[in-house]
Amino acid sequence: GRRAELHKMAAAGAEAAAAAEEEKRLPEGDPESGGDSDDEGDSDSSGDGEDEEKENEAEIQRLEEQLSINAFDYNCHLDLIKLLRQEGELVKLRRARQKMSELFPLTEEIWLDWLKDEMKMASESCEREKVYELFERAVKDYICPEIWLEYAQYSIGGLGQEGGIERVRSIFERALTAVGLHVTKGTALWEAYREFENAILETAQPAPGTVPSPEQQQVLCSQLDKIHTLFRRQLGIPLLDMEASYAEYEEWSEEPIPETTVKSYKKALQELERCKPYEEALLGAETPKLAEYQAYIDFEMKAGDPARIQLIFERALAENCLVPDLWARYNQYLDRQLKVKELVLSAHDRAVRNCPWTVGLWIRYLLAMERHRLEHSTISEMFEKALNAGFIQATDYVEIWQAYLDYLRRRVDFTQDSSKELEELRSAFARAVEYLKQEVEERFSESGDPSCTIMQNWARVEARLCNNMQKARELWDNIMTKGNAKYANMWLEYYNLERAHGDTQHCRKALHRAVQCTSDYPEHVCEVLLTLERIEGTLEDWDAAVQKTENRLARVNEQRAKAAEKEAALAKLEEEKAEQRKQARAEKKASKKAKKTRLGDKRKADDEDEGEWGQEEELPSKRHKGEGDGLLPEEDMEVEAELLGRNTPENPSQPKEKPSSSSSSRKDIPKVPHDSSKDKVTVFVSNLSYSLAEPELRLRELFGGCGEVAEVRPVFSNRGTFRGYCYVQFQEEAAARQALRLDRTAVEGRPMFVSPCVDKNKNPDFKVFRYSTSLEKHKLFISGLPFSCTKEELEDVCKAHGNVKDIRLVTNRAGKPKGLAYVEYENEAQASQAVLKMDGLTVKDHVIKVMISNPPLRRPPEAGKGSPFPAPRQVFGARGKGRTQLSMVPRALQRQSNPAAKAENGMVQNSPAAPSEPPEEPKKMSNADFAKLLLKK
């Protein structure tokens, strides 16, 4: 009877809550909501509604087709679910949510919407069971206190069913285990649990005026003990607003609080004080709060409580689910510390569902499955999923194949000559080689395994574990035919395998082939061959080896001598060109000087003629671009002095006098020295157009929004032409930092460079790095764009695959496009999907190439000092091109220039220092002098 009464109360409460929820969801203008309108309005709205409905149906069809092409499009799933929910397509909506949940863990908001829609439609007991199953799936994706609370409250509606109370208590206990330690949100669950138990207590009370029976008294005591226990458990956990819970317990309890509970409460308060700084940092930080969560995790790891460590990891991952490093750290902790099978495998599964493009997470998952002894079919199925995850680099596929092959190798019992596991291993090796050759090479234009490491491992397994040297030799023949025969280290690897598991004859044969084919370090291979014959060979073998090595080294030395002669000829040619350029500069300088002298004499003569005859003659002097027209010498001096930021000295008591000779040139005007103490409030602006009119006024306008400009110092030549750079000084340092944000702003069609004002003499290593030079998985590099493509047009193409945060079109110093661009997305998932969809796309009759941004290094390799060998095998960058180009001119003869600050993605920003005068002609040196100089360097 009591249970039936409680069921009626819960059912009535659930019905009222459902009615309130339904009332909130009724659209405006619905007849049930009391809205009314006239016939004409109904007609217009119905017409608009039909048009909108047709548009939504077309959009739903388009989204479904797009998902049939690429099921891993996260944003497409979200858009489809939103439209279907708006249209009320419940069957399609349920199917769309189901498909998305199979591919991705769903966020708290998506789950709550789904659960509330299903709860509204669940009336029968069988339908309620389906909602329970849906809740069970929801609580496995992320640790969400709101979902657990909704789950517990929904279960109260099933109290009338058999075992209803026990089921509600079980759900509450699981919720407390999952999120009861949550410092900021755990209190709500504890209070809900206590309210439920208090409701049970109220129903167990005897009717007024009656004496409870012994059985009723026992039920009452048992229920009171449950509530006491809940209070004491809660007070032993550091939660926000603990003081209010303690006061509530004091008020509720008729007995004094036990001393053990008080001690536990005080200890929890102390723990709360230690946690508060981290919780406050999370409350004040902006999403996703990764740095704050990392600090919190470090704090809990030092404390060492496994439950709290697990909870803070789960809290962090709920807001940073697309951060692979965070998943890797969590999984590593679970693998090494907790080692609970269900918990470990669940975390690994959620990791690869959130970050499927990260190969390291898949490898850890396969290892965890093997570690916990899952079925071979399950592990193989997971490996197949990994191959379809869409990795962003060719080397990722090599790594996942190698991890799977290692697993298969550990399954084989090599004491048997033949087994099912061994045949499966060999079949997997063959499939891996074919997969890299066909699938990976077709997508990335490279196999990702140029050294054939998988085939090398296969050969080692055949030779060492299967005693099958014949198969190992066949594999090595294939390896050498793939462009590896010219590398000494590959031949020596094969030789060592033959040495360990083969015979001397095949060792000798391999070394003879190596001497003939090796082009990077032939001396090394020759030495190994001679050592072999010295230990094991006959006289005939020795003579043959000596003859072969001598002939080979003679040809190598001849080729090197020719290369050296060619390099010397190029160096000499460059030296002659440098000499010619120097002579041309000297002649030009002398010509300018002579012309200047004649011009001064001419002006002096004109002044004398004007004073005598009162006439003025026009001087047909040649001007630079951008010079003013018709300026008299006096006016010219005043304008140049003003443009240089200096005023000509004035004396009010004396009239201005005209210069009487060429000695009053601009060099006689003292230069304003640079005040290095104001570098912090000054920025250096360069790459401006030489024809920029009134640069001082223009730059004051540009930088006026950053803060108060104290001074603008444009730099001009002696002829008064603007040189394209200047210094802008502010009143405050914050304004200078704000001005740096205007870097690359277009000014008259050219990108304006803005950099800190730094004395390169005092800080020669200072460089301005605006962009990252490392791998950025959330950023794309796009090449092959038409020069006419605008930022807006490119954004229209890219935003269909994710939220675009920034687009940068690469230009040269003159602001002309180079057909390259960098597109930054919100996360790695969107970027990886964009690569899959946009690579090979045609934009204005241009086929573009799209890849993850990974700028190759541009560090010139250091030649081996004193080594007779040429440079080893060339290292290729991420995009398949050489990382550097070697100069054929000796470093001592190269023209010295100001160090350039390398920015990311090929953008170079010049040093603000003015170009220096050309160096003096180097002294003629012999080959011996060159050698000494290079060795000294």
Side-chain angles (χ1 to χ4, degrees), residues 760-778:
K760 285 301 186 80
N761 295 326
K762 298 179 181 179
N763 301 278
D765 297 329
F766 176 80
K767 294 181 180 180
V768 179
F769 287 88
R770 172 158 189 200
Y771 305 106
S772 172
T773 56
S774 59
L775 175 65
E776 294 180 282
K777 294 184 179 181
H778 66 289

Side-chain angles (χ1 to χ4, degrees), residues 32 61 394 450 458 524 591 623 734 743 858 904:
E32 295 182 11
Q61 184 176 359
W458 188 4
H524 196 180
S591 175
R623 295 183 182 90
D743 186 33
R858 296 294 180 183
E904 193 236 2

